[in-house]
């Protein structure tokens, strides 16, 4: 499972309990946001300030920014900062191809998880045995983000036709990138239901956590299961 900041673990637990006792029946632990609903494709200005206020006022501790590729929108870094500064934890989902080019626009923090989306069974090599352009760019972006001090997750999207061997190969590939965690989701659901997370901890990660903690972040503990 993916280890999370202590405060996030507490917030997730509080959100689940609130729903169980019907104090906040409509407030899920994770709020899904499609970047295209808020951001212009060719401008850093948001489409809807009202939608941003709605997100920031939500009781959901986690905001998952996904949908159409968020890094195609010039204003996504501003959106991430606007949400994170209100106390929410942000999981920014991306295919990783533009991550290295845009990583300088973000600030490493214990409230931001850069989440690279990978599909089991997707071609990782060309016919000549070389890595495909998509995987090469995603790999480079993931490594660059990790070296820059960001917390990195890989989002493995599982479909009904996904084979176990494909899953094993993809998880092994993710571990080779030295990521901080692996989030497994339903590929066809279109929802924010996160099925399971797998652990990944290394000396590099411990150094990142210590650095984030020294900068005012919470110590990383706790786990994310099914919210």
């Amino acid at each position: 499972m993916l280890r999370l900041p202590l405060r996030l673990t507490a917030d997730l637990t509080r959100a689940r309990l609130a729903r169980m006792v019907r104090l906040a029946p409509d407030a899920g632990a994770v709020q899904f946001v499609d970047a295209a609903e808020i951001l212009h494709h060719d401008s850093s200005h948001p489409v809807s300030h009202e939608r941003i206020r709605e997100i920031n006022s939500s009781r959901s501790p986690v905001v998952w920014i996904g949908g159409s590729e968020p890094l195609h929108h010039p204003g996504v870094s501003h959106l991430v900062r606007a949400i994170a500064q209100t106390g929410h934890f942000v999981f920014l989902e991306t295919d990783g191809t533009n991550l290295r080019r845009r990583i300088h626009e973000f600030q490493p923090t214990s409230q931001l998880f850069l989440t690279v989306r990978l599909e089991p069974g997707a071609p990782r090599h060309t016919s000549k045995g070389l890595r495909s352009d998509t995987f090469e760019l995603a790999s480079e972006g993931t490594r660059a983000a990790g070296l820059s001090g960001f917390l990195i997750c890989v989002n493995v999207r599982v479909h009904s036709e996904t084979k176990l061997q494909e899953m094993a190969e993809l998880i092994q590939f993710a571990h080779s990138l030295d990521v901080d965690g692996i989030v497994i989701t339903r590929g066809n659901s279109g929802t924010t239901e996160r099925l399971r997370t797998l652990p990944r901890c290394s000396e590099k990660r411990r150094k990142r956590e210590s650095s984030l903690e020294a900068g005012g972040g919470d110590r990383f503990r706790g786990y994310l299961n099914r919210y």
Side-chain angles (χ1 to χ4, degrees):
M1 292 177 288
L2 174 63
R3 298 169 66 206
L4 297 172
L6 178 60
R7 187 166 68 83
L8 174 54
T9 302
D11 288 347
L12 289 169
T13 302
R14 190 179 299 111
R16 294 191 71 191
L17 290 174
R19 294 194 69 182
M20 290 173 61
V21 299
R22 300 184 182 278
L23 292 177
D26 298 326
V30 181
Q31 179 180 189
F32 180 78
V33 176
D34 188 338
E37 296 178 356
I38 303 174
L39 301 172
H40 288 287
H41 185 74
D42 57 356
S43 171
S44 60
H45 298 289
V47 174
S48 174
H49 289 282
E50 181 179 352
R51 179 71 176 111
I52 294 178
R53 287 193 292 269
E54 179 183 328
I55 294 169
N56 288 340
S57 63
S58 169
R59 294 185 179 183
S60 300
V62 172
V63 176
W64 187 289
I65 302 178
S68 58
E69 175 55 43
L71 292 185
H72 286 169
H73 300 274
V76 67
S77 60
H78 300 292
L79 176 62
V80 168
R81 283 194 294 272
I83 296 174
Q85 71 183 6
T86 62
H88 290 86
F89 289 85
V90 179
F91 283 72
L92 180 63
E93 182 180 0
T94 173
D95 63 11
T97 55
N98 291 316
L99 187 55
R100 185 171 185 176
R101 182 171 61 86
R102 300 199 58 185
I103 193 66
H104 67 280
E105 301 176 26
F106 300 89
Q107 180 69 33
T109 171
S110 60
Q111 288 180 259
L112 173 60
F113 295 83
L114 298 178
T115 308
V116 181
R117 181 178 63 254
L118 297 177
E119 300 279 354
R124 295 193 290 277
H125 300 82
T126 65
S127 58
K128 296 181 179 179
L130 301 175
R131 289 198 181 280
S132 66
D133 290 342
T134 299
F135 261 78
E136 187 65 30
L137 290 172
S139 300
E140 291 179 358
T142 301
R143 291 191 177 98
L147 291 173
S148 298
F150 288 90
L151 295 167
I152 308 296
C153 304
V154 165
N155 178 21
V156 178
R157 307 211 317 183
V158 180
H159 303 267
S160 59
E161 64 274 14
T162 299
K163 299 177 181 178
L164 290 178
Q165 181 61 31
E166 295 173 344
M167 282 287 297
E169 291 177 355
L170 188 55
I171 290 173
Q172 183 178 10
F173 174 73
H175 284 174
S176 72
L177 298 177
D178 198 24
V179 298
D180 298 298
I182 300 172
V183 183
I184 299 177
T185 68
R186 288 178 179 171
N188 296 323
S189 66
T191 71
T192 58
E193 183 179 16
R194 306 301 150 191
L195 301 182
R196 183 174 296 180
T197 58
L198 304 178
R200 178 60 178 168
C201 190
S202 64
E203 183 63 27
K204 183 185 297 183
R205 173 182 174 172
R206 284 188 286 270
K207 289 180 180 178
R208 282 205 296 273
E209 292 175 355
S210 298
S211 175
L212 290 173
E213 182 180 1
D218 296 318
R219 182 178 178 82
F220 275 53
R221 300 174 186 154
Y223 302 94
L224 173 64
N225 260 328
R226 184 173 179 175
Y227 291 100

